[in-house]
Amino acid sequence: MNSLRLFAGAAAAALALALPSAAHAAPAIAPGGCAKAIAVAEMTEKDYEDTVKWYKSLIAQGGHPGVVGERAVADAKADRDRAASQAQRICGP
């Protein structure tokens, strides 16, 4: 249970850092913005993969992640999709 709390806390901290702020939503793009957006998208992709790996390993060990585990996977997926979409908007097609 402690590892789940630790994971949930780490996921919440990563989510807070990954969410775009109002400054990021501005249409003006600073030089290097594309590289930064791609780096964030890659980071959230890795976070999602790690979350799914954790979820599957917990099930394989006979555990049941419950709503918290399912929500962590859904949140990580949403973060991944949001970051990829933002990178596409910033960098272009």
Side-chain angles (χ1 to χ4, degrees):
M1 186 68 182
N2 284 338
S3 63
L4 182 58
R5 285 187 196 151
L6 179 63
F7 178 78
L15 174 64
L17 294 174
L19 289 176
S21 67
H24 289 112
I29 299 172
C34 181
K36 182 178 179 183
I38 290 173
V40 169
E42 290 172 348
M43 180 185 72
T44 57
E45 175 69 27
K46 181 169 181 351
D47 289 344
Y48 172 72
E49 291 171 358
D50 290 345
T51 304
V52 170
K53 183 178 177 182
W54 164 80
Y55 183 84
K56 288 180 178 180
S57 72
L58 186 61
I59 292 171
Q61 295 172 11
H64 181 65
V67 175
V68 173
E70 293 168 0
R71 188 72 199 158
V73 172
D75 288 346
K77 184 178 188 293
D79 291 344
R80 179 197 67 177
D81 294 346
R82 187 180 309 112
S85 177
Q86 185 173 2
Q88 186 174 17
R89 280 192 306 271
I90 291 172
C91 299

